[in-house]
């Protein structure tokens, strides 16, 4: 898809306007209700759908299909980010009324960093077609690693600050408590960061780790930098509202890692086949419509099986709790009889 510089500028300005409107509407710190989160989640999904349909009418069917496949993939991978966001919020004991501000700024930081990754990835792909072999192998390895981690059932409370964040804290110093929406304060004549600034940086910089698999994944669906950028932008900008909407449901998505591993492995295979095709080897390539259907199907199946497994787990825990209470009652009766 040929994208003029004018369209790039208009798109970036449009996204900036949406971010500004989002910030203006939620400028006053407050606890986000399920209703508010639900409305804004729908708004961002509708905006993404309108943009995708716009590509269909003003571009072509392939561009539209690539956008929707990329958007759904990035959205599903972003849900995995929410698990870490929950851990970060808990670790820094972020007050509930400040969490939306933290997520908004953190997501903006993540979007800027991903834009750099996208530009670098596009430049590498344009110069070295063999990089698809590396991307494909990396995604297949990441898929296998996700399965291993899911089966190991690792402790959820193992998030640690990265080196960049630790160095920034050491350089500027951190206040011992939150000061509303202030990012810096003056303490004993020295300008130091507030915990709010630290957690914003934590959210933004931690996303770099997720970008290492999400960016190669979307390049496996499309090599158009414009579609890669816009799919990432729409997926990330709806992430803040999704955090408040499904925060309580995250623990029920017990099979999410398996679903994401299947998706990443599928895209990894697609990349390898594309690389072989570019090298002159006659192999079948996976089409965008099939990719879109496959990714959507995996997510639906993963969600259904996760909810069923969570329900069964809750029923088992309830039965065990009831059996435990009966045991306590029997013990009391025996002691009284003695």
């Amino acid at each position: 898809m040929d994208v003029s510089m004018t369209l790039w500028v208009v798109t970036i300005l449009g996204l900036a306007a949406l971010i500004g409107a989002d910030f203006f509407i939620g400028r006053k710190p407050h606890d986000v209700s399920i209703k508010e989160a639900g409305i804004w989640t729908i708004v961002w999904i509708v905006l993404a759908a309108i943009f995708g349909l716009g590509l269909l009418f003003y571009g072509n069917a392939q561009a539209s299909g690539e956008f929707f496949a990329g958007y759904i993939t990035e959205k599903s991978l972003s849900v995995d980010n929410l698990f870490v966001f929950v851990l970060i919020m808990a670790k820094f004991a972020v007050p509930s009324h400040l969490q939306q501000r933290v997520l908004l700024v953190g997501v903006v930081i993540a979007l800027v960093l991903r834009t750099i990754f996208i530009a670098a990835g596009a430049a590498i792909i344009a110069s070295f077609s063999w990089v698809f072999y590396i991307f494909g192998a990396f995604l297949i390895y990441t898929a296998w690693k996700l399965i291993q981690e899911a089966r190991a059932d690792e402790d959820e409370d193992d998030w640690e600050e990265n080196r960049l964040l630790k160095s920034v804290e050491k350089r500027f110093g951190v206040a011992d408590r939150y000061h509303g929406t202030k990012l810096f304060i003056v303490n004993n004549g020295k300008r130091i960061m507030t915990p709010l600034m630290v957690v914003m940086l934590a959210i933004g910089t931690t996303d770099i780790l997720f970008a290492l698999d999400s960016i190669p994944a979307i390049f496996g669906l499309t090599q158009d930098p414009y579609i890669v950028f816009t799919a990432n932008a729409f997926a990330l900008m709806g992430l803040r509202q999704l955090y408040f909407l499904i925060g309580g449901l995250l623990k029920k998505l017990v099979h999410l890692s398996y679903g994401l591993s299947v998706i990443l492995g599928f895209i990894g295979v697609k990349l390898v086949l594309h690389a072989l095709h570019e090298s002159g080897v006659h192999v079948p390539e996976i089409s965008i419509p099939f990719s879109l259907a496959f990714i959507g199907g995996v997510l639906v199946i993963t969600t259904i099986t996760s909810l069923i497994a969570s329900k069964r787990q809750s029923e088992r825990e309830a039965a065990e709790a009831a059996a435990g209470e009966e045991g306590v009652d029997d013990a009391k009766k025996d002691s009284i009889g003695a």
Side-chain angles (χ1 to χ4, degrees):
M1 179 178 173
D2 294 328
V3 180
S4 65
M5 182 58 67
T6 300
L7 182 56
W8 268 105
V9 172
V10 170
T11 301
I12 293 173
L13 290 178
L15 288 172
L18 290 173
I19 294 172
D22 197 9
F23 184 85
F24 179 79
I25 294 171
R27 67 187 184 282
K28 184 178 181 181
H30 65 283
D31 292 326
V32 178
S33 65
I34 296 296
K35 180 180 179 180
E36 179 184 349
I39 291 173
W40 279 104
T41 296
I42 293 173
V43 167
W44 279 107
I45 292 175
V46 169
L47 287 174
I50 292 173
F51 182 84
L53 292 174
L55 289 177
L56 175 62
F57 290 108
Y58 296 102
N60 52 62
Q62 181 178 349
S64 179
E66 290 177 352
F67 171 80
F68 281 117
Y71 172 73
I72 293 174
T73 299
E74 292 300 310
K75 199 70 171 178
S76 60
L77 291 172
S78 294
V79 172
D80 200 32
N81 298 21
L82 296 182
F83 284 100
V84 179
F85 290 175
V86 169
L87 296 180
I88 294 175
M89 293 289 192
K91 183 178 181 65
F92 289 96
V94 182
S96 58
H97 67 283
L98 293 177
Q99 290 183 5
Q100 64 160 347
R101 179 67 61 85
V102 168
L103 288 170
L104 177 60
V105 177
V107 165
V108 171
I109 294 174
L111 182 57
V112 172
L113 294 176
R114 287 200 182 198
T115 300
I116 297 173
F117 271 57
I118 291 168
I124 293 173
I125 289 173
S127 302
F128 310 101
S129 60
W130 49 261
V131 79
F132 286 115
Y133 288 110
I134 298 176
F135 281 1
F138 178 74
L139 289 180
I140 293 172
Y141 167 76
T142 303
W144 174 82
K145 187 177 178 182
L146 270 178
I147 293 177
Q148 294 298 109
E149 291 176 353
R151 295 179 65 182
D153 192 23
E154 294 181 346
D155 185 1
E156 292 186 352
D157 298 322
D158 59 355
W159 182 85
E160 295 183 359
E161 298 178 24
N162 54 58
R163 292 183 179 180
L164 174 62
L165 196 58
K166 289 180 179 179
S167 63
V168 171
E169 291 178 0
K170 184 178 181 180
R171 169 67 178 81
F172 292 97
V174 182
D176 58 356
R177 62 184 178 86
Y178 286 90
H179 293 263
T181 58
K182 292 182 178 179
L183 303 181
F184 291 91
I185 63 168
V186 177
N187 184 33
N188 295 326
K190 182 181 178 181
R191 184 179 176 85
I192 61 175
M193 297 189 302
T194 65
L196 186 66
M197 182 65 178
V198 176
V199 73
M200 285 179 178
L201 292 174
I203 293 289
T205 56
T206 299
D207 184 76
I208 295 176
L209 299 177
F210 294 101
L212 291 178
D213 53 34
S214 66
I215 298 302
I218 194 170
F219 270 117
L221 297 170
T222 176
Q223 286 80 59
D224 190 325
Y226 181 77
I227 296 177
V228 173
F229 171 74
T230 51
N232 267 274
F234 279 106
L236 281 176
M237 288 312 301
L239 193 61
R240 181 170 69 98
Q241 289 78 14
L242 200 60
Y243 171 88
F244 295 104
L245 183 63
I246 69 171
L249 296 176
L250 287 176
K251 292 183 179 180
K252 295 184 178 181
L253 299 177
V254 293
H255 295 161
L256 179 63
S257 292
Y258 293 104
L260 294 180
S261 66
V262 171
I263 292 173
L264 290 177
F266 167 78
I267 298 176
V269 171
K270 185 178 185 300
L271 273 172
V272 172
L273 290 175
H274 177 72
L276 290 170
H277 182 78
E278 291 292 312
S279 300
V281 180
H282 295 289
V283 293
E285 285 203 85
I286 301 174
S287 67
I288 288 298
F290 181 82
S291 299
L292 187 56
F294 182 87
I295 293 168
V298 169
L299 291 176
V300 170
I301 293 172
T302 299
T303 301
I304 293 174
T305 58
S306 292
L307 295 178
I308 292 174
S310 296
K311 183 179 179 180
R312 290 177 178 174
Q313 179 64 25
S314 298
E315 291 174 349
R316 283 196 297 268
E317 292 175 354
E320 292 173 359
E325 290 179 358
E326 290 179 0
V328 171
D329 291 339
D330 291 341
K332 288 182 178 179
K333 291 178 181 179
D334 292 339
S335 64
I336 292 174

